[in-house]
Amino acid sequence: MQYKWLQKNISQNLIIFFNGWGMNEKAVQHLDKENQITKNFDCLHFYDYQNITMPTIDFSTYQHIYLIAWSMGIYMSNALTLPYTKKIAFCGTGNPISIKEGIPPKVYQLTINNFNEQTQAIFNKKIGFSLNSQQTNTALKNELIAIQEYQFTKKTFFDIAFIAKNDCIFPFENQKNYWEHNANKSIILETKHYPFHLFTSWKEILIQ
């Protein structure tokens, strides 16, 4: 697992963001522009889930720790257990490979088997954002394979779950099925799988 500090040593409040499969910080870099001025949050970004090796970080200095996770990042956030002040999920579930609660297993396996430059372009169009162009197709495929083999809990409770109505990756009904029992509140967004163009800052997300 890779990580990158988007902001560090500016605040006693920390946002931990678990990104989606095949993504890097470009997916959320616009959310941090306000934070660069207000300095409300440190921000730690996790991505590239080809392994689950976690960095050694002292979180004890933070008064509040917020978890924001998108897509496969919801499931992968199980790799880091902390006393979160608030947990927010976007456009995915904690049971990511499932007929009724995630991506149907046959679809997931076909994505692995057929992934190439052409299918990557189709995938980008479906989600409304581009995969990490710095990763090779082999690395992106290996990440999918690795996620498939992890044995995290499939029941992950969040405070808020944002559900994408036009999601072509995690079916809308499957997201609803999962979060009915695993979130305090669900909010439906009129968007494709990529949701962050609807927000201008981390703070805007956290006050929902």
Side-chain angles (χ1 to χ4, degrees):
M1 190 177 298
Q2 302 294 317
Y3 74 98
K4 180 177 181 179
W5 287 95
L6 303 184
Q7 292 290 343
K8 187 178 182 183
N9 298 328
I10 65 171
S11 176
Q12 292 181 316
N13 302 311
L14 173 66
I15 291 172
I16 295 178
F17 175 63
F18 276 82
N19 214 335
W21 161 70
M23 294 291 165
N24 60 17
E25 69 272 14
K26 289 182 179 180
V28 292
Q29 62 184 4
H30 68 286
L31 298 176
D32 210 52
K33 289 182 179 180
E34 177 186 288
N35 190 47
Q36 293 173 10
I37 300 171
T38 61
K39 303 186 185 304
N40 288 325
F41 308 100
D42 281 9
C43 187
L44 178 59
H45 165 226
F46 286 98
Y47 62 104
D48 189 353
Y49 307 124
Q50 294 183 69
N51 63 67
I52 52 175
T53 303
M54 297 296 296
T56 301
I57 298 173
D58 180 12
F59 295 102
S60 64
T61 60
Y62 291 103
Q63 292 184 353
H64 300 284
I65 303 176
Y66 303 92
L67 174 63
I68 299 175
W70 173 38
S71 190
M72 284 297 176
I74 298 167
Y75 180 60
M76 295 306 302
S77 69
N78 285 294
L80 185 62
T81 303
L82 292 170
Y84 294 110
T85 301
K86 195 172 189 179
K87 297 173 65 177
I88 300 176
F90 278 93
C91 308
T93 74
N95 188 11
I97 308 171
S98 166
I99 293 176
K100 294 184 178 181
E101 294 185 334
I103 301 170
K106 287 185 178 179
V107 174
Y108 193 91
Q109 192 58 52
L110 283 171
T111 303
I112 293 173
N113 294 345
N114 299 328
F115 193 77
N116 53 44
E117 290 184 5
Q118 287 71 36
T119 56
Q120 180 177 342
I122 295 171
F123 189 87
N124 291 343
K125 186 175 181 179
K126 282 185 176 181
I127 67 174
F129 199 80
S130 297
L131 292 171
N132 184 1
S133 60
Q134 297 175 348
Q135 281 189 298
T136 65
N137 285 334
T138 298
L140 291 168
K141 184 181 295 188
N142 287 342
E143 188 177 349
L144 283 175
I145 294 169
I147 293 170
Q148 189 179 40
E149 295 174 352
Y150 296 141
Q151 298 297 318
F152 295 125
T153 179
K154 303 300 191 296
K155 296 298 178 184
T156 306
F157 196 85
F158 277 69
D159 297 287
I160 299 175
F162 287 96
I163 301 173
K165 189 172 183 179
N166 303 314
D167 203 317
C168 294
I169 308 303
F170 281 81
F172 175 67
E173 291 299 326
N174 288 11
Q175 292 183 58
K176 287 177 60 179
N177 289 341
Y178 182 83
W179 293 117
E180 181 180 359
H181 304 290
N182 293 287
N184 280 329
K185 181 172 71 172
S186 296
I187 299 173
I188 296 175
L189 298 175
E190 295 283 346
T191 185
K192 295 182 179 180
H193 186 61
Y194 176 75
F196 298 114
H197 63 290
L198 299 176
F199 300 89
T200 60
S201 68
W202 295 117
K203 185 178 180 180
E204 186 181 359
I205 291 172
L206 290 175
I207 63 175
Q208 298 295 318

